[in-house]
């Protein structure tokens, strides 16, 4: 069975339960999660609106990132989903999870998965601040 169990770029709400079910594995002694949510401020300024957009290649790039993590760590299951479209404060923007035989492997692999996703997958965040300024942040930031 492929260790990459769930990958997606979606314009609908993300589910921690779906991701947890995807990485459930009897060979795993540990499962590490990261859930990224929309916060109310960035750079010390209030955020009033936020949206994500993705290049058509984003899901393929996400697969490459997951494959590299699977090759570099002894993991039993990987899942990663990212939201696109307009999000509200508190909405879940990204979830990654990794199951591995031991907790240290799970933690290290999950950290690498989210870090590489943020650095390499062409997904861009557009923020609008209360003062009217805007900012684009994206892959390779």
């Amino acid at each position: 069975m492929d260790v990459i169990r769930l990958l997606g770029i979606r314009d609908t709400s993300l589910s921690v339960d779906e991701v947890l079910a995807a990485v459930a594995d009897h060979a795993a002694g540990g499962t590490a999660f990261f859930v990224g949510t929309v916060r109310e401020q960035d750079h010390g300024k209030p955020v009033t609106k936020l949206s994500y957009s993705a290049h058509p290649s984003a899901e393929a790039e996400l697969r490459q990132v997951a494959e590299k993590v699977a090759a570099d760590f002894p993991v039993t299951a990987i899942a990663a989903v990212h939201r696109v479209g307009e999000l509200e404060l508190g909405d879940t923007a990204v979830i990654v999870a990794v199951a591995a035989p031991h907790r240290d492997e799970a933690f290290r692999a999950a950290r690498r998965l989210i870090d590489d996703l943020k650095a390499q997958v062409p997904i861009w965040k557009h923020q609008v601040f209360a003062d009217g300024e805007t900012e684009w942040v994206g892959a390779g930031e």
Side-chain angles (χ1 to χ4, degrees):
M1 177 186 273
D2 189 8
V3 299
I4 300 172
R5 306 276 179 82
L6 174 66
L7 296 176
I9 309 295
R10 300 180 177 168
D11 62 0
T12 57
S13 296
L14 305 180
S15 166
V16 170
D17 290 339
E18 177 191 23
V19 174
L20 180 59
V23 296
D25 193 302
H26 292 298
T31 301
F33 266 84
F34 173 79
V35 178
T37 55
V38 178
R39 61 184 174 267
E40 65 184 0
Q41 60 177 284
D42 198 11
H43 311 296
K45 299 184 335 186
V47 173
T48 60
K49 185 177 176 183
L50 184 139
S51 64
Y52 286 94
S53 58
H55 188 272
S57 69
E59 204 159 315
E61 297 288 333
L62 179 56
R63 177 161 290 280
Q64 289 180 358
V65 165
E67 287 171 349
K68 181 76 169 124
V69 170
D72 291 349
F73 294 91
V75 299
T76 62
I78 292 176
V81 289
H82 201 296
R83 179 103 181 262
V84 292
E86 291 192 18
L87 283 76
E88 301 292 327
L89 295 178
D91 281 351
T92 300
V94 62
I95 305 171
V96 301
V98 176
H102 302 283
R103 71 177 174 271
D104 184 55
E105 297 158 341
F107 279 126
R108 290 187 306 119
R111 176 65 184 248
R112 170 83 159 285
L113 181 59
I114 188 62
D115 287 350
D116 289 358
L117 184 160
K118 298 288 282 179
Q120 298 173 29
V121 178
I123 297 172
W124 301 278
K125 174 173 65 174
H126 183 233
Q127 299 186 108
V128 178
F129 297 99
D131 64 6
E133 287 187 36
T134 65
E135 174 185 51
W136 282 96
V137 181
E141 58 187 80

